[in-house]
Every structure is written in structure tokens, then in C-alpha cells.
Amino acid sequence: MTTQNPRLAYVIAGSEATGGAGIQVDLKTFQQLGVYGVGTLTCIVSFDPKNDWGHRFVPVDPQVIADQFEAATATHDLDVVKIGMLGTPATIDTVAQALATKPWRHVVLDPVLICKGQEPGAALDTDNALREQVLPQATVVTPNLFEAKTLAGMDAIESVEDLAEAARLIHKQLDTSAGPRYVVAKGGVELPGPDAVDVLFDGDEVTVLSAPKVGEERVSGAGCTFAAAITAELAKGAEVPDAVRVAKQMVTEGIRARVEARTPFATVWQGAFAG
Ligand code: PXL
């Protein structure tokens, strides 16, 4: 018997029942990058094929989220965590309180904001709760174009310069007293131009990462894969800029090898990335 002692990564996120997003993607990504995954479920999303694939959303009871956190953190020494979809102010409250009970080397926040099927009013409450309670605890935040615009309070993001400005404005909302903090704002297919451009801001310098766009269609699970890959690399001891580079490569290759499905979007194949 040999003991391999893999590094551990923790994720607090929702289930998306088709396997194309959410905690299913996070755990697949961790495994593909050679990291032992531990997961806590915040909500269950089941797309409705009878209703234009609308999101059916069920939150997990806050006490059950707290119980999962207790079990996971009592079992393992976890110091790197990814936060995915939370979904309600009550869930955000529970997760923010749980996070604050422990020191983390890294908290990677994928700030999943609106989910179709939620009341707009409820979504605004959720956005504000996320901004006030979880964002300040993050060491790395990975907003997409829409999330970057919302969190930065900008009217539009139409260029790489705008994206960098959004990253700077979001960085101001992070707590830099305990060490460096990073914003990775993702342009994706919606930012005009031939390349998929991401901007990494470390509080000082802007680094632009580019890869040729793979088609012009959005692919489901790209954001989840990206943040989960950063988390896995950080768990293995990488510095943030290197973790982000690996994550971008994994997403690019995963989109090239995407899984076509009957949902409106194809999904990322994490298994395409050999590392
Ligand atoms: O891709 C964002 C996302 C994250 N997590 C869950 C989701 C979705 C989008 O559908 O359902 C659980």
C-alpha cells in the first residue's frame, strides 16, 4: 500500500443536475488536476426541459449547510476553498459566518449572481448580501462580464480597458489588510474581438491573458471550471498568476473538446486537459 497524500480543495456550491455546471464541475476539475475534492451543497438547480430549460431552484436548509461545513472541516484540514452559487441571503449569511470561523490561505469566489427563475427583488437582496458578506473575505474573485459590471457598478464594459477598470473597482471592495487580493475579470465571448480576454488585477498591476475565442457561443460550466481550476492549483501551492494561467488553459481546451447536449449551451469537458 502506498500513501499518496493528495492536496485537498474544498468547494461550497450548488448542484446543477445536468452535470454541466455547479459542484459537479468543481469536483471533476479538482480530480482532473490531481486534488482531493471536498464539497458542501448550498442549493439544487434542475433545469426544466418542458419550460425552455428554466432554472428550478431549491435552497438547502441553512442548518444543513452549517452541518456539512462542520463535517467537512472537522474531518480535514482545509485551507483553500472555492465559493460557487449561494443563491439566497440566508445561505450567504450561513456561509459567510462559517467562513469567518477559520483562517483560509485562499478563498476563491466565483460571484454567481443572477440565476434565471429567481425573483428580481430576491436577486438584488442576494447580490447585496454577497457583496457585503462574502466579497470582503475573498482572496481571488472571478467575475464574468455581467458580474464585473454589476459588482463594479459600471454601465457597460465594451473594451479590455473597461474590463481592467471594473477589476480595479472590484478590488477596492476587497479586504487587503491580510495580504494581497486578486480580481480576475473575464471577458468571454461577449467582449468584442477575436480573443477571449481575461484581466488579472493584483492591486498594483494589470495582466491581460488572451486566447483565441473557440466559437462565439457561450459554453456552460466555463466559469465554474475556471474558478475550480484556480482553487486546485492554489491547493497544490501555486501562486495566483500561475494558477490563473493553468485555469485559462484548462477552460480553453475543455471548450475545444466541449460536450454537446440538448440544453441551449454545450458544456466544458474537463477531461480534455492533461496538465
Ligand atoms: O454557471 C453558474 C452556475 C453555478 N452553479 C449552479 C448553477 C449555475 C448555472 O446554472 O446552476 C448550481
Side-chain angles (χ1 to χ4, degrees):
M1 191 180 75
T2 55
T3 306
Q4 297 195 0
N5 288 327
R7 298 300 177 95
L8 274 67
Y10 183 32
V11 54
I12 301 175
S15 165
E16 191 277 87
T18 73
I23 203 162
Q24 288 86 345
V25 161
D26 296 317
L27 294 173
K28 285 185 268 190
T29 302
F30 289 172
Q31 185 78 15
Q32 185 69 18
L33 292 172
V35 170
Y36 181 101
V38 177
T40 285
L41 205 63
T42 55
C43 60
I44 301 173
V45 172
S46 315
F47 298 159
D48 185 354
K50 304 182 298 305
N51 185 23
D52 205 16
W53 305 97
H55 288 206
R56 293 176 289 200
F57 168 84
V58 179
V60 171
D61 183 88
Q63 185 58 51
V64 178
I65 298 173
D67 291 350
Q68 294 174 78
F69 184 90
E70 183 182 28
T73 55
T75 303
H76 301 293
D77 289 324
L78 302 168
D79 66 351
V80 173
V81 58
K82 174 192 157 172
I83 311 296
M85 184 168 168
L86 298 175
T88 73
T91 300
I92 290 168
D93 227 32
T94 304
V95 170
Q97 281 185 39
L99 283 177
T101 62
K102 292 182 69 65
W104 300 96
R105 193 159 57 81
H106 276 292
V107 175
V108 179
L109 174 63
D110 186 11
V112 180
L113 289 184
I114 51 158
C115 182
K116 272 179 279 174
Q118 281 188 298
E119 295 292 320
L124 191 62
D125 284 359
T126 305
D127 293 0
N128 288 336
L130 190 77
R131 185 199 297 276
E132 284 162 21
Q133 297 181 57
V134 184
L135 195 61
Q137 298 193 52
T139 60
V140 183
V141 195
T142 62
N144 63 20
L145 204 64
F146 170 77
E147 292 154 354
K149 201 169 61 142
T150 306
L151 291 174
M154 290 169 67
D155 291 335
I157 296 178
E158 289 165 347
S159 65
V160 177
E161 291 70 36
D162 292 349
L163 198 61
E165 178 60 12
R168 282 193 200 92
L169 290 168
I170 295 167
H171 195 276
K172 287 200 172 83
Q173 301 171 50
L174 304 178
D175 176 10
T176 49
S177 63
R181 299 290 182 260
Y182 301 82
V183 178
V184 194
K186 303 172 290 183
V189 289
E190 282 157 333
L191 193 71
D195 292 338
V197 178
D198 301 323
V199 165
L200 170 65
F201 183 61
D202 63 5
D204 190 19
E205 274 179 41
V206 168
T207 307
V208 176
L209 294 97
S210 288
K213 284 180 184 170
V214 185
E216 288 287 339
E217 296 291 325
R218 294 184 68 184
V219 172
S220 167
C224 301
T225 306
F226 186 72
I230 293 172
T231 308
E233 291 301 303
L234 294 174
K236 291 192 284 188
E239 297 295 328
V240 172
D242 293 328
V244 170
R245 272 183 215 103
V246 171
K248 184 155 179 79
Q249 210 184 335
M250 183 167 189
V251 170
T252 304
E253 290 184 21
I255 292 174
R256 266 192 215 118
R258 62 191 169 274
V259 177
E260 297 294 342
R262 285 190 280 275
T263 40
F265 304 118
T267 78
V268 175
W269 169 224
Q270 290 77 27
F273 182 71

